[in-house]
């Protein structure tokens, strides 16, 4: 490792900013500049104590700031490491392109292939249930739906979980109601059933995860989630699916192309 004085500065005793925050600022800048790379171990507590002339508690508070921002993660007995940057780019203008379905690929498989990662789906549950008020409204006042719940993993790491809700008059008794809906996923089956997909509407917000989401996605401290609700419409203007998705924010970059006119 390059010597710390060449990477990190010193403490400004005249600053109103707390010492532990000054240290966190310098470590953050070094990470942003690539002086500490993804997966690389940060200087140890002892090294930082010696470099800055501060207590171990001050250094630990600095690490806590960076962990709360999702920049680093601690491994017991090993140290503090720079978290990897998002490996998957979700290109909104391409991920639901019909050519992918015709090739027998779902959007998740397409994105995993682009990232050079191995995709997997687990925790699969398919059942009929009563629609919540929100889902009912989005699907045109339906009372019951087919719900498909699943968790997605990349290279063994959980990155998102999603629930698709479909009107029973469309999905019941079809391959969509099977655990494996076949090549191209449920959108390919919808089109085979005569529901030519026309467009999608998405609502996206970022928030901190619930305890159950932390457990399901195995999230590190301070990592937020991206909550996305997508509605698929067929060529007749009918809403044929609502997908409620929660993604680990450190696993994705959401990429959009927007017209200028």
């Amino acid at each position: 490792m390059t010597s710390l004085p060449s990477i990190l500065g010193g403490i400004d005793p005249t600053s109103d900013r707390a010492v532990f925050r000054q240290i966190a600022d310098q470590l953050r800048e070094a990470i942003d500049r690539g002086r500490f790379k993804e997966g690389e171990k940060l200087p140890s507590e002892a090294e930082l104590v010696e470099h800055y002339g501060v207590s171990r508690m001050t250094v630990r508070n600095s690490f806590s700031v960076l962990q709360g921002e999702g920049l680093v993660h601690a491994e017991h007995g090993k140290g503090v490491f720079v978290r990897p940057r998002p490996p998957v780019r979700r290109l909104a203008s391409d991920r639901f392109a019909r050519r992918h379905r015709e090739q027998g690929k779902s959007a998740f498989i397409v994105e995993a292939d682009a990232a050079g990662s191995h995709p997997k789906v687990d925790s699969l549950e398919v059942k009929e249930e009563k629609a919540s008020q929100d889902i009912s409204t989005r699907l045109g006042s339906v009372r019951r739906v087919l719900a498909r719940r699943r968790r997605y993993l990349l290279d063994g790491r959980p990155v998102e979980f999603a629930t698709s809700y479909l009107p029973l008059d469309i999905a019941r008794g079809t391959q969509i109601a099977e655990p494996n809906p076949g090549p191209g996923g449920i959108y390919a089956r919808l089109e085979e059933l005569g529901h030519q997909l026309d467009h999608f509407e998405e609502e996206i917000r970022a928030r901190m995860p619930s305890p159950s989401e932390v457990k399901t996605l195995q999230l590190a401290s301070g990592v937020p989630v991206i909550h996305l609700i997508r509605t698929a419409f067929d060529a007749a203007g009918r809403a044929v699916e609502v997908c409620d998705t929660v993604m680990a924010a450190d696993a994705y970059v959401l990429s959009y192309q927007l017209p200028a006119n």
Side-chain angles (χ1 to χ4, degrees):
M1 180 186 292
T2 308
S3 64
L4 289 188
S6 65
I7 299 176
L8 303 173
I11 298 301
D12 180 1
T14 66
S15 174
D16 292 333
R17 190 160 179 78
V19 171
F20 77 93
R21 294 194 181 279
Q22 291 187 50
I23 296 173
D25 291 343
Q26 293 182 21
L27 290 169
R28 185 189 305 105
E29 181 179 4
I31 292 170
D32 289 342
R33 290 178 178 270
R35 293 176 178 175
F36 298 122
K37 302 186 182 303
E38 294 180 26
E40 185 176 344
K41 182 180 176 182
L42 292 183
S44 68
E45 288 183 5
E47 290 171 321
L48 293 173
V49 164
E50 180 180 356
H51 174 72
Y52 288 111
V54 297
S55 69
R56 281 184 177 269
M57 185 56 67
T58 298
V59 171
R60 289 173 185 170
N61 288 340
S62 301
F63 283 155
S64 293
V65 170
L66 299 179
Q67 283 184 270
E69 296 172 356
L71 289 178
V72 303
H73 69 280
E75 295 185 16
H76 184 68
K78 295 182 179 180
V80 178
F81 297 80
V82 180
R83 291 186 64 83
R85 300 293 184 179
V88 180
R89 181 174 295 274
R90 291 172 61 114
L91 183 60
S93 61
D94 178 74
R95 69 187 313 264
F96 296 125
R98 185 166 286 106
R99 69 179 185 280
H100 299 318
R101 297 194 291 279
E102 292 173 347
Q103 294 170 0
K105 293 183 177 182
S106 67
F108 183 68
I109 290 176
V110 171
E111 291 165 347
D113 288 347
S117 297
H118 175 67
K120 182 180 178 180
V121 177
D122 72 358
S123 304
L124 180 66
E125 178 187 62
V126 183
K127 67 175 185 177
E128 295 183 8
E129 64 186 38
K130 181 181 178 180
S132 69
Q133 181 62 53
D134 179 64
I135 296 301
S136 175
T137 299
R138 293 175 187 270
L139 287 175
S141 300
V142 300
R143 297 183 62 185
R144 294 185 62 80
V145 292
L146 178 78
R148 296 183 56 89
R149 293 182 173 86
R150 63 273 189 203
R151 184 174 69 164
Y152 295 93
L153 297 86
L154 289 176
D155 299 326
R157 176 200 170 189
V159 293
E160 69 175 85
F161 65 91
T163 304
S164 287
Y165 301 96
L166 300 103
L168 283 184
D169 67 298
I170 293 177
R172 176 182 277 170
T174 72
Q175 198 170 353
I176 295 172
E178 299 296 324
N180 181 358
I186 63 174
Y187 288 159
R189 304 291 81 76
L190 283 169
E191 295 202 316
E192 289 172 357
L193 291 169
H195 296 278
Q196 183 88 350
L197 296 176
D198 180 76
H199 69 280
F200 302 88
E201 295 180 0
E202 292 188 340
E203 300 174 7
I204 303 172
R205 65 188 179 103
R207 58 173 173 78
M208 296 309 295
S210 68
S212 64
E213 290 167 347
V214 170
K215 181 178 180 180
T216 300
L217 294 176
Q218 299 175 13
L219 298 172
S221 175
V223 175
V225 292
I226 300 169
H227 189 181
L228 183 151
I229 299 178
R230 178 180 65 253
T231 306
F233 293 87
D234 66 12
R238 181 181 180 183
V240 294
E241 182 237 16
V242 173
C243 187
D244 189 327
T245 304
V246 177
M247 299 176 281
D250 63 343
Y252 287 96
V253 170
L254 305 185
S255 181
Y256 294 85
Q257 294 179 357
L258 304 174
N261 55 0

